[in-house]
Amino acid sequence: MKRLEALFAILFVAITPLPPTETHAAGEPEQQRRFAAERARLVDAIRNYGRPIGESANPGVLAAMRAVPRHLFVPTDQRAEAYQDYPLPIGEGQTISQPSLIALMTHLLRPKKGEVMLEVGTGSGYQAAILSRLVGRVYSIEIVEPLARQAAATLTRLGYANIAVRHGDGYAGWPEHAPFDGIIVTAGAPHVPKPLLDQLKPGGRMVIPVGPSHSTQRLMLITKDARGKTVERFVIAVRFVPLTRKIRS
């Protein structure tokens, strides 16, 4: 595992930081314009993502959704559907969540410039890319090695220099870089992992689906006050792939 982590570190350190935009990716200008237009239509369609919690959309979240090329984070045969508001398969039995849910979960973190975030469940790397435009640094853990490698390669190719990806058990968090201003979990956990609570900074926020595998779960917002006391709040019912602890290579 250490050799793999070293490889990912090299991937992210070796690139020159560039403003992450679709223009760093291969593709004809006309195709890029078409995808940009589809992205803009998607953002218009989901701009009321905060309605379930009675809040207006965060302009920064919408701007990030408008900028990040979702079609480059899904398999080629799924690109025609990349800007529809529903989840898509990304291989290895995993999915990329629907954009409106990604927007809501990002919003719940209240991301700010300079903050450090932890993501459990890198998947394709899309959620990390969204977050990276809003905070200072994102640490992301993926338990499925092929997905971790692919996400690291995609993020590097697109110029996201403030994201580090690691292959490993997300339940344990990433203590070397804790505490975190925010933690986002993109898989359904049977309970809230204590290591993640321990790694959440006082004043921090965690967004996590909690509930049984392959069934409806409760999306929870957990806040920690200055004394370390946590408060849980139910947000909406969701359905995510399960958070597992068996590292897959």
Side-chain angles (χ1 to χ4, degrees):
M1 188 182 299
K2 289 183 178 179
R3 291 180 62 190
L4 186 59
E5 291 174 19
L7 171 61
F8 287 157
I10 291 171
L11 283 172
F12 284 99
V13 171
I15 63 174
T16 301
L18 296 170
T21 68
E22 185 180 356
T23 56
H24 299 314
E28 297 297 326
E30 180 57 36
Q31 183 184 59
Q32 291 183 16
R33 285 192 289 271
R34 176 170 61 83
F35 280 128
E38 291 181 10
R39 219 163 32 250
R41 284 193 292 271
L42 171 66
V43 171
D44 284 341
I46 67 170
R47 63 174 54 256
N48 292 323
Y49 70 77
R51 184 173 294 166
I53 59 173
E55 296 183 10
S56 300
N58 179 333
V61 172
L62 293 178
M65 301 288 290
R66 190 177 292 109
V68 177
R70 189 174 188 247
H71 67 280
L72 298 180
F73 290 88
V74 301
T76 304
D77 62 358
Q78 299 288 335
R79 287 185 177 175
E81 300 177 81
Y83 297 108
Q84 301 302 314
D85 191 28
Y86 47 71
L88 293 171
I90 56 172
E92 305 295 333
Q94 306 298 301
T95 60
I96 181 173
S97 295
Q98 66 194 73
S100 57
L101 181 55
I102 289 174
L104 176 61
M105 292 176 70
T106 303
H107 176 103
L108 288 168
L109 289 172
R110 300 287 192 267
K112 299 180 181 65
K113 292 294 184 183
E115 290 187 332
V116 179
M117 298 282 177
L118 173 67
E119 178 191 30
V120 175
T122 312
S124 68
Y126 178 72
Q127 173 70 79
I130 295 292
L131 265 180
S132 76
R133 300 185 69 92
L134 301 166
V135 301
R137 184 76 171 165
V138 179
Y139 292 93
S140 186
I141 307 173
E142 172 56 54
I143 202 164
V144 182
E145 182 178 346
L147 291 181
R149 285 184 176 275
Q150 181 61 42
T154 300
L155 292 164
T156 299
R157 186 174 71 252
L158 295 177
Y160 291 93
N162 62 336
I163 304 172
V165 175
R166 185 173 82 175
H167 172 227
D169 179 9
Y171 184 99
W174 201 328
E176 297 89 340
H177 297 290
F180 299 100
D181 296 289
I183 298 176
I184 185 168
V185 182
T186 61
H191 58 269
V192 180
K194 186 177 184 302
L196 298 184
L197 284 175
D198 291 342
Q199 292 172 39
L200 185 64
K201 183 183 292 186
R205 302 165 72 88
M206 182 192 307
V207 180
I208 178 172
V210 180
S213 300
H214 307 294
S215 184
T216 301
Q217 298 132 1
R218 294 162 59 86
L219 185 65
M220 305 300 296
L221 170 63
I222 301 173
T223 56
K224 180 185 283 190
D225 67 19
R227 296 172 298 174
K229 180 181 178 181
T230 58
V231 176
E232 298 185 4
R233 169 191 165 193
F234 168 70
V235 182
I236 57 171
V238 292
R239 188 162 182 159
F240 280 80
V241 296
L243 179 69
T244 64
R245 302 204 62 188
K246 184 178 181 181
I247 297 177
R248 292 165 54 186
S249 58

